[in-house]
Amino acid sequence: MDTLLKAIAEPKRRDIIRLVWARELAAAEIAEYFPDVTRSAISQHLTVLRKNGVIHERREGTRRLYSVNRGEIIKLRAFLDSFWSDSLERLRDIAEVSELQKRAS
Amino acid sequence: MDTLLKAIAEPKRRDIIRLVWARELAAAEIAEYFPDVTRSAISQHLTVLRKNGVIHERREGTRRLYSVNRGEIIKLRAFLDSFWSDSLERLRDIAEVSELQKRAS
DNA sequence: TGCTTACGTAAGTGTCAACTAACGAAATAG
DNA sequence: CTATTTCGTTAGTTGACACTTACGTAAGCA
């Protein structure tokens, strides 16, 4: 979940998500929307998004078509929703945060 | 907004937010919940959260009491909500993302 | 005035992330 | 088979970030 949040904290990656939200796009088509960085940079962003399950890759000849994996987005949204709305109730009891901390270490 | 998202992508900072969500806590009290890092590390996390408007600092004698600034959390939530839900509609028109990119460069 | 408490801040370190330039791989066209 | 297209990957650089150690500061107390 940490890496997923970090993936979305990067503005170019959010733009990529928006680009492939409604339709499939090939890597080169995506890269065209970012004139001031190289294809390589975009390819690496695509790798990050793919490894976090945010986008799906489909090969067609020499091209690779990307589209959003909405299931993963929904998961992230659910995580954040519970973060906002449950924080008050859950953490009135401090013990739970202690647990989180112990697990993290 | 970028720095705000990065602030939340850090797990210890999310824990801090949860800690001061329901009640004010002094810096030392917050640090107690993180036994495996120094006070200094927590202080720096508090600075990041404060500079992003996520938490509010109130001085009382030598102590500094922190609490969540819910307004900023609500802003972030609204931003993400519109990110999820509007992405399809907004970005069916590719021009808008182009605009985003040009502004970012 | 000193001493202590409760903090932040500065300096330095190791690690990771974003990027460019150069190369490699795989499918297709001729 | 060779050349081209469409991509990913590797190597190397730069900057950001989480962290520790050490020091600075401001309030309260003897």
Side-chain angles (χ1 to χ4, degrees), chain A residues 46-57:
Chain A
L46 289 171
T47 300
V48 170
L49 290 172
R50 184 172 44 75
K51 285 189 175 168
N52 280 285
V54 178
I55 58 174
H56 174 253
E57 180 190 301

Side-chain angles (χ1 to χ4, degrees), chain A residues 2 5-6 9 79-80 83-84 87 90-91 97 100-101 104, chain B residues 1-21 25 30-31 33-34 36-56 66-69 73 76:
Chain A
D2 278 5
L5 274 168
K6 280 177 186 167
F79 171 80
L80 288 172
F83 179 75
W84 321 126
S87 284
R90 275 196 321 220
L91 300 167
V97 179
L100 285 173
Q101 172 55 20
Chain B
M1 184 57 64
D2 279 5
T3 56
L4 185 51
L5 274 168
K6 280 176 187 167
I8 298 228
E10 169 62 40
K12 284 198 183 62
R13 285 197 287 260
R14 284 203 305 279
D15 285 344
I16 291 173
I17 292 171
R18 286 192 270 246
L19 275 170
V20 298
W21 192 283
L25 282 180
I30 295 169
Y33 290 101
F34 302 92
D36 43 348
V37 287
T38 57
R39 259 191 331 100
S40 181
I42 300 304
S43 179
Q44 288 172 50
H45 280 312
L46 289 171
T47 300
V48 170
L49 290 172
R50 184 173 44 76
K51 285 190 176 167
N52 280 285
V54 179
I55 57 174
H56 175 253
Y66 293 95
S67 55
V68 160
N69 180 355
I73 299 280
L76 175 58

